[in-house]
Amino acid sequence: MSAGTEKIDVTVTDIVKLNDLVTRFKFERSDGGQLPTFSGGAHTVVEMQDDGITRLNPYSLMSDPMDQSAYTISVRRDDEGRGGSLFMHNRVKTGDRMVISYPVNLFSLDLRARKHLMIAGGIGITPFLAQIKQLDRLSGRFELHYACRSAALGSYVDELTANHPNAVHVYYDDQKQAIDLQRLLTGQPLGTHVYVCGPKGMIEWVRKTSAALGWPEEAVHYEEFLAPQSGKPFQVRLAKSGITVDVGEHESLLEAIERAGIDAPYLCRGGACGQCETDVIESDGTFVHRDHWLEDEDRASGCKIMPCVSRFEGRTLVLDR
Amino acid sequence: MTIQFNDETFRDDYTFHNSDWAIRRFPFPFHEDSYMYSVNMEQHRGGPAGSVYEKRFDVDEHYVSEMKDRAIVLAEDPLRCQSLPHMTLAGWDLLELIMVSKSEDYPDLFELHRDGNDWRWINRPLGIDDRFTFLDEATLPYGPMEYITRQTQGDFAVLDQRDENLWMDAGMVTTQADWSLDFDIGMNFFEWHAPVPLAHEMGIFKRALKFLLNVQQGNPARRLNWTMTVNPLLDTSPENYHKWGIQKTTLTPENIGSKQHLRVELQTFFRLPRSNALVFPIRCYMIALQDVVTVPKWGRRLHRVLRDVPVELATYKGFIGNRPLIVDYLSQFDDGLPTSDGIWPDLDTEPPLRKG
């Protein structure tokens, strides 16, 4: 029942290096059949078999949601990360068989919106690519503001500006261009929803600025996948399963639990969806909470942890798993 | 198997009836001799051959007559079918889900031919053969949700998902257990469940919502719910309560076996891919008490459950006034023998009624 998601066997049919950091991968069903349709903003979890370690990383689907012949994702190389993106960049070859999950959407469009205002930072552009294709078909009104480091690293800028010359605005950091957020948010017609996907700082900026300007919370949507970060090794006792597991420096608590053969629930693996929430039975030490799911009182109580991204430092940790 | 469709009514002369086949496959909702609320969800991935769980959208002998009854309800009260403007895409999702499922599951009854967005839909039992353009509303006689749910048994609540909640933003509701789409339209999950007693205090709805928000594409779920209805009336709506409420006073010890029905809802949940909405089909099955008791295990168990169900529940489900009469009647079919676990009739293994 992990993830509650079905798996799909796929073959990598195309790999395109877009720039120094970003590479695009195309997946088609290995059995030749059609892939499920999806809604713009959905992601798939890609399984990677990396020398005995199973990595499960979520990536936004960026292809046309109505196109059932193939899915595409874009992966930004993270040299400091734990290796998922490096595996995709360095090890995956055209023709490889992989397993991906059915689409899951934790960042869907609010279809009541009169206008969709999209704010993207860097690789955060990918969910918007699918949403824009969806809105195109439905004649939905949108406007994209896309910030990237430089023209050389501006993935999909050419395609976007060519197809939607009046709806796409690009800002290059190295040319000192910046989104005038205050002005942008002030000038929107009633019924506009704002969506932001990008670095943590950008999401905070948009949420705070919109809140200060009186935007209703329901009209502000964001998606931030946290990658699990490395940390000191620790030990965890799984009470229900009756086993003790060592969590290594470069694996997440959830990955360690899975490695021990326990079928634990998950969906986003990025601290956002709440599916992997686990009760803490006993602890003596410090929690390193990294999710954005738990409420402050949950954290203060020390009774809950999100094992996909959060860690523990200390002597004893016993989980109800 | 080719289904023989009944010619029957769910109003006025009430000629509705279940064949032996329909009785044996009836979704009896009690897995033990007592009942209390629970989040009794399971995966909707088929079930025993011939059971109502086998197909994604069960078609049975009542299909054609139920669709005629729906058309009568809609002609009298068009507000039984509503779709807020942002739900049209979900309507297409639902049309696609039902057409694909039915044509795969019942190829002798339904056919779907697709060439890009040019679609042809053949519904043999209802004599329909339509060509239309997928995602182009102008090519159908109704909106996509109304079009397909006029051809599919069961009510449909189409729920938008946003702000960590579900919203009743579209639906086709003509066979309901006393709730109103027109009243609930636009409400969220907690608002439309507000009238249900006890369950809020038990935390049932919080857990149920958490489960439903996580129902994913390709992984539908299901559960059963139940109530009691006098006469085989599909349209037990608040809108028509003045017509049917009075019928609850017509029960006598002589007619109760044929007039009092156990009403069971097979509720399923599917994530809709293009809209990320959730569809909640609520399929209604009815069975007269005199038919329930032809299965000895069910006769014993139904007596025990209805006798012991809390007053709040019997009141909410609308049979508190008739409970003494119902329990009296059913007591003739309960010889006190133990019953086997689970909902299945177990006709081969359960002993016949021991005559007192």
Side-chain angles (χ1 to χ4, degrees), chain A residues 4 6 37 39 66 267 275, chain B residues 45 162 214 217 219 273-274:
Chain A
E6 289 291 285
T37 51
S39 48
M66 306 278 177
L267 262 185
Q275 190 72 3
Chain B
R45 294 275 182 99
R162 52 177 201 269
N214 277 312
Q217 254 179 272
N219 206 353
R274 299 168 196 272

Side-chain angles (χ1 to χ4, degrees), chain A residues 4 6 36-39 66 102 104 108 110-112 134 218 267 275, chain B residues 45 86 89 135 162-164 210 214 216-219 273-276:
Chain A
E6 289 291 285
T37 51
F38 61 95
S39 48
M66 306 278 177
Y102 258 59
V104 171
S108 69
D110 190 324
L111 295 174
R112 296 173 308 163
Q134 181 180 341
E218 297 77 26
L267 262 185
Q275 190 72 3
Chain B
R45 294 275 182 99
H86 61 283
L89 183 61
L135 296 179
R162 52 177 201 269
D163 313 329
E164 290 296 309
K210 197 170 172 182
N214 277 312
Q216 298 300 337
Q217 254 179 272
N219 206 353
R274 299 168 196 272
S275 59
N276 203 39

Side-chain angles (χ1 to χ4, degrees), chain A residues 142-143 160-161 163-169:
Chain A
F142 75 94
E143 188 178 297
L160 284 164
T161 48
N163 293 338
H164 311 280
N166 300 319
V168 172
H169 306 263

Side-chain angles (χ1 to χ4, degrees), chain A residues 70-81:
Chain A
Y71 288 163
T72 53
I73 60 169
S74 287
V75 179
R76 182 187 185 278
R77 198 183 73 233
D78 181 1
D79 296 319
E80 311 296 312

Side-chain angles (χ1 to χ4, degrees), chain A:
Chain A
M1 143 106 212
S2 9
T5 51
E6 289 291 285
K7 310 284 186 206
I8 310 171
D9 290 312
V10 293
T11 303
V12 180
T13 54
D14 196 22
I15 299 176
V16 177
K17 189 172 160 61
L18 291 175
N19 52 47
D20 274 354
L21 287 178
V22 179
T23 298
R24 183 174 67 223
F25 298 85
K26 184 175 181 181
F27 300 122
E28 293 178 45
R29 270 188 100 110
S30 299
D31 65 9
Q34 291 206 311
L35 290 159
T37 51
F38 61 95
S39 48
H43 69 265
T44 181
V45 174
V46 178
E47 293 189 17
M48 304 168 208
Q49 301 303 330
D50 186 2
D51 292 333
I53 300 172
T54 302
R55 300 186 187 280
L56 296 162
N57 280 21
Y59 294 103
S60 295
L61 293 166
M62 52 164 283
S63 41
D64 183 348
M66 306 278 177
D67 179 3
Q68 294 182 258
S69 66
Y71 288 163
T72 53
I73 60 169
S74 287
V75 179
R76 182 187 185 278
R77 198 183 73 233
D78 181 1
D79 296 319
E80 311 296 312
R82 298 171 322 129
S85 68
L86 290 174
F87 179 87
M88 290 300 292
H89 275 252
N90 300 336
R91 305 277 294 278
V92 174
K93 301 279 174 281
T94 304
D96 283 1
R97 302 279 288 259
M98 297 187 85
V99 175
I100 64 173
S101 76
Y102 258 59
V104 171
N105 200 340
L106 303 172
F107 188 53
S108 69
L109 293 169
D110 190 324
L111 295 174
R112 296 173 308 163
R114 302 281 177 85
K115 177 182 170 186
H116 304 274
L117 177 66
M118 302 165 172
I119 301 177
I123 194 65
I125 190 65
T126 51
F128 294 124
L129 294 168
Q131 290 181 337
I132 287 170
K133 285 172 191 129
Q134 181 180 341
L135 287 171
D136 235 11
R137 299 238 183 190
L138 303 172
S139 309
R141 184 176 169 202
F142 75 94
E143 188 178 297
L144 170 72
H145 295 263
Y146 176 21
C148 21
R149 272 200 232 165
S150 63
L153 290 174
S155 311
Y156 306 109
V157 162
D158 294 344
E159 171 190 320
L160 284 164
T161 48
N163 293 338
H164 311 280
N166 300 319
V168 172
H169 306 263
V170 182
Y171 307 78
Y172 295 118
D173 295 349
D174 67 345
Q175 297 176 32
K176 300 274 183 282
Q177 297 169 340
I179 299 171
D180 185 351
L181 188 61
Q182 187 90 14
R183 189 166 155 270
L184 187 62
L185 292 177
T186 311
Q188 294 305 319
L190 216 58
T192 302
H193 280 242
V194 63
Y195 306 79
V196 55
C197 185
K200 197 180 176 71
M202 178 182 232
I203 293 171
E204 288 300 307
W205 176 52
V206 173
R207 291 181 67 196
K208 280 190 181 139
T209 310
S210 58
L213 289 170
W215 278 64
E217 233 176 77
E218 297 77 26
V220 182
H221 311 268
Y222 55 95
E223 176 159 72
E224 181 196 6
F225 280 137
L226 304 166
Q229 286 172 24
S230 306
K232 289 180 195 154
F234 61 100
Q235 209 174 53
V236 59
R237 171 102 190 133
L238 306 176
K240 266 195 210 140
S241 318
I243 53 170
T244 300
V245 178
D246 288 306
V247 183
E249 188 181 347
H250 295 297
E251 71 182 338
S252 71
L253 175 52
L254 177 60
E255 287 165 348
I257 293 171
E258 289 170 341
R259 180 169 49 75
I262 311 297
D263 192 15
Y266 69 83
L267 262 185
C268 74
R269 305 183 80 89
C273 76
Q275 190 72 3
C276 71
E277 184 182 297
T278 306
D279 289 331
V280 176
I281 294 173
E282 194 190 334
S283 68
D284 176 12
T286 314
F287 290 95
V288 185
H289 291 295
R290 290 198 173 114
D291 61 279
H292 28 122
W293 170 260
L294 291 178
E295 304 288 344
D296 288 344
E297 57 260 34
D298 292 330
R299 295 180 184 203
S301 75
C303 292
K304 291 189 187 303
I305 187 167
M306 309 303 293
C308 63
V309 291
S310 298
R311 303 181 71 87
F312 181 79
E313 289 173 4
R315 258 177 299 177
T316 318
L317 176 64
V318 184
L319 298 181
D320 186 25
R321 178 68 68 205

